[in-house]
Amino acid sequence: MNNIFKDPRIKPEIQAGLEKIHFTKPTEVQEKVIPVLLTHKNAVVQAVTGSGKTHAYLVPVLNEIDTTKEYVQAIITAPSRELAEQLYQVARQLRDASGLNISIAHFAGGTDRERQLKKLENRKPQLVIATPGRLYDFVQKKNFAIDHVKAFIIDEADMTLDMGFLENIDYVAKRLPKDTLFAAFSATIPVKLSNFLRKYMDHPEQIVIGSKTIIAPTIKNDLIDIGSKNRKKILYQLLTMGQPYLALVFANTKQKVDELTEFLQNQGMKVAKIHGGITERQRKRTLREVENGQFQYVVATDLAARGLDINGVSLVINYEIPRDLEFVIHRIGRTGRNGLSGHAVTLIREEEMDRIEELEKMGLHFDFVEIKNGELVPRKHYHRRNNRKAKNHKIDTKLNGYVKKEKRKRKPGYKKKIKRAIQEDKMQKRKLEQRHEVRKAKRLRKRRRDRGR
Ligand code: AMP
């Protein structure tokens, strides 16, 4: 396959910039998405953070900008301040490496609105990176014109939906020129989201980056049943038995993060913490310090599970399982990035085994381990799990039957039968997934309604 980074439609400056930041080989999502966006075709891309999706849109977007025209030509949205900030830094890095004179602005809620407005008066940006709320605010007040926008990218679209920002996006999207290029990037594509996107995209290119990216194959994903043991003690053992380069411990609540941080600090460990109760400024400082290698341990809520790119995480510990199971995948995805090996350990009690089964259905594979003599070793006996395996076998007998028969005597059409059975199985799964999405959306709506009361 030709290297898409060398495509002659990409400006030589950007090609050189990519080389300068050592992006020589495109990732799968870049290989698939860049040519689509270069030909100005809308796209809905299912890809997780860590796949390289940011550059899959940044390259074509920067390429699109006419540096001689001083008006907004492209908009990228990200659902949280942190994500928008990170995206801004990444965009600046590629712009600077390319040496292109592109003006990029970063608008996010919570940041100084007046200062941003002042900047806007001085020079209109060519690329706007914004959270949906602030974007809506500026567009509504006509702080900048959007009638020359050529590309509109929604990053982390499912999170944008979950956070209730689609209305803001809708307001802006409706007012964009008819021929604007639309693209949405999302880890999952819930039904509600695809319905929304259909409003703006007529037959978009649907690109799914293989389910193998659910977690990187380089991650060893372990599971420990803590039984009646003390969870904190196990955490301490896990953190101290190897020498993790950087360990990220996830807990479900701010209180739990505070509690664990204090516990570990009392054991003499240098621990940083990240959660929503800490001011953004402090969070940023902590992230910088972590980045500089000042901490070996970070305890965090799911605020750090999505999007935030903390380099060098060698160990992720799920101290407890989050209510929303998808976050397990995001959490684990913080390690094993960029082809490096990673390790994740999830702590559970037996009664949570059903949730692990659900995760397995989503495509996660766990290795069952226990701590013995200060080491993690495969756990041999686990009755429930063994039973479960037997149960799973039963579910699959339909497929197994076809395969077995095929070995004994080759009936005509056996391949078709297997295919059909697999297809049916897949459809069933898809239906279940869709039902799950609809329920989740309903729950969210209800929660929002209740909150509004
Ligand atoms: P993303 O999924 O966009 O957050 O990217 C994940 C990580 O991969 C980031 O740290 C990127 O800098 C890095 N990355 C993305 N594309 C490439 C590439 N083609 N070559 C090397 N690193 C990459």
Side-chain angles (χ1 to χ4, degrees):
M1 206 190 277
N2 286 336
N3 184 337
I4 190 66
F5 289 165
K6 306 273 178 244
D7 190 294
R9 289 169 294 179
I10 299 177
K11 290 177 186 159
E13 292 93 334
I14 294 179
Q15 295 194 18
L18 285 165
E19 245 172 61
K20 211 163 163 186
I21 61 170
H22 308 291
F23 282 22
T24 43
K25 203 172 158 289
T27 65
E28 185 187 355
V29 64
Q30 291 158 2
E31 196 71 68
K32 289 191 172 151
V33 172
I34 294 174
V36 173
L37 299 187
L38 282 179
T39 44
H40 238 259
K41 266 205 90 175
N42 296 336
V44 175
V45 183
Q46 190 169 348
V48 292
T49 308
S51 57
K53 66 182 169 65
T54 316
H55 291 82
Y57 58 78
L58 267 184
V59 170
V61 162
L62 289 180
N63 198 56
E64 187 79 13
I65 288 169
D66 181 342
T67 52
T68 63
K69 305 276 185 344
E70 287 203 7
Y71 45 66
V72 179
Q73 298 171 48
I75 300 174
I76 306 172
T77 67
S80 74
R81 279 181 235 166
E82 275 91 355
L83 287 171
E85 162 77 25
Q86 195 165 293
L87 184 51
Y88 175 60
Q89 299 303 346
V90 173
R92 274 181 22 165
Q93 179 201 37
L94 182 58
R95 184 230 15 221
D96 293 347
S98 309
L100 285 170
N101 186 20
I102 294 174
S103 142
I104 308 176
H106 160 228
F107 303 134
T111 50
D112 190 342
R113 194 173 175 280
E114 295 312 311
R115 220 182 59 205
Q116 290 174 355
L117 280 174
K118 203 133 238 105
K119 262 196 197 162
L120 269 172
E121 275 168 25
N122 295 339
R123 185 182 175 186
K124 292 280 178 270
Q126 290 152 322
L127 168 61
V128 166
I129 293 172
T131 53
R134 191 49 67 91
L135 176 69
Y136 163 79
D137 180 16
F138 280 4
V139 170
Q140 193 208 22
K141 300 208 170 74
K142 299 203 169 33
N143 294 120
F144 57 83
I146 53 169
D147 43 4
H148 291 298
V149 170
K150 294 187 272 186
F152 187 73
I153 313 285
I154 308 164
D155 197 3
E156 304 283 359
D158 54 353
M159 197 173 165
T160 309
L161 162 79
D162 285 348
M163 292 173 78
F165 284 142
L166 283 192
E167 279 166 31
N168 292 154
I169 299 272
D170 193 42
Y171 180 90
V172 180
K174 261 195 254 171
R175 288 162 174 79
L176 293 170
K178 285 277 164 296
D179 56 351
T180 305
L181 170 72
F182 274 90
F185 290 74
S186 200
T188 56
I189 314 280
V191 183
K192 199 174 169 199
L193 178 64
S194 59
N195 284 345
F196 173 81
L197 295 173
R198 224 174 285 145
K199 266 171 84 175
Y200 301 101
M201 302 190 210
D202 196 18
H203 298 298
E205 197 82 19
Q206 308 263 3
I207 298 168
V208 179
I209 300 306
S211 58
K212 64 178 187 298
T213 54
I214 183 159
I215 63 167
T218 49
I219 299 174
K220 174 149 172 39
N221 189 27
D222 288 337
L223 187 69
I224 295 185
D225 174 8
I226 60 165
S228 55
K229 293 193 196 98
N230 181 305
R231 210 178 268 255
K232 278 195 201 128
K233 267 197 190 148
I234 295 200
L235 171 67
Y236 177 71
Q237 269 181 302
L238 285 170
L239 291 177
T240 48
M241 65 193 192
Q243 269 304 332
Y245 180 77
L246 179 59
L248 189 50
V249 179
F250 282 105
N252 291 351
T253 60
K254 295 175 210 169
Q255 291 78 8
K256 192 53 99 185
V257 168
D258 286 338
E259 184 188 319
L260 291 181
T261 308
E262 198 186 326
F263 166 75
L264 294 172
Q265 280 168 344
N266 286 342
Q267 315 298 313
M269 298 163 87
K270 200 153 186 281
V271 187
K273 62 177 173 184
I274 298 175
H275 63 58
I278 297 168
T279 62
E280 206 204 338
R281 211 154 129 213
Q282 176 61 36
R283 267 186 342 237
K284 269 191 188 161
R285 191 161 62 212
T286 305
L287 276 175
R288 242 190 340 264
E289 287 169 350
V290 170
E291 220 34 66
N292 294 338
Q294 292 177 36
F295 291 98
Q296 194 182 0
Y297 309 98
V298 181
V299 184
T301 57
D302 281 315
L303 190 68
R306 275 192 85 152
L308 285 191
D309 200 7
I310 305 174
N311 286 322
V313 177
S314 58
L315 173 66
V316 164
I317 296 183
N318 285 312
Y319 184 77
E320 46 196 359
I321 297 190
R323 218 177 299 148
D324 183 350
L325 285 180
E326 253 168 43
F327 273 94
V328 173
I329 298 163
H330 297 306
R331 289 173 175 188
I332 295 173
R334 299 298 93 205
T335 183
R337 292 162 79 77
N338 305 332
L340 296 174
S341 65
H343 186 198
V345 184
T346 300
L347 306 185
I348 55 148
R349 280 194 205 280
E350 184 177 346
E351 52 270 27
E352 291 172 305
M353 214 49 209
D354 289 344
R355 312 205 67 209
I356 295 298
E357 288 181 13
E358 274 184 56
L359 283 164
E360 286 176 328
K361 279 189 207 137
M362 287 157 85
L364 268 190
H365 168 77
F366 290 92
D367 287 323
F368 217 82
V369 296
E370 59 188 328
I371 303 177
K372 258 200 180 149
N373 304 326
E375 258 185 86
L376 281 181
V377 293
R379 177 162 172 170
K380 290 205 184 81
H381 305 292
Y382 191 73
H383 299 304
R384 171 100 190 269
R385 195 167 169 86
N386 290 342
N387 291 343
R388 199 160 49 89
K389 268 197 182 148
K391 202 169 76 191
N392 280 352
H393 251 85
K394 250 182 230 152
I395 294 169
D396 285 335
T397 43
K398 203 163 105 197
L399 299 184
N400 277 347
Y402 284 120
V403 178
K404 272 188 197 136
K405 257 183 246 154
E406 181 255 317
K407 273 186 193 155
R408 265 181 264 127
K409 45 180 177 179
R410 293 188 162 226
K411 273 190 187 166
Y414 73 94
K415 268 190 182 168
K416 265 192 200 154
K417 271 191 183 170
I418 296 175
K419 261 194 195 157
R420 207 180 309 133
I422 291 173
Q423 209 67 39
E424 274 172 15
D425 202 49
K426 268 192 190 157
M427 259 165 57
Q428 199 62 32
K429 273 190 195 136
R430 212 172 303 147
K431 265 193 209 155
L432 280 174
E433 271 167 18
Q434 279 174 353
R435 211 173 298 153
H436 174 72
E437 294 299 350
V438 170
R439 282 197 192 134
K440 202 167 124 193
K442 266 194 196 152
R443 269 204 308 274
L444 258 171
R445 264 205 306 274
K446 184 172 178 307
R447 220 179 295 153
R448 236 174 266 140
R449 241 183 284 128
D450 290 347
R451 235 183 278 142
R453 268 182 204 142

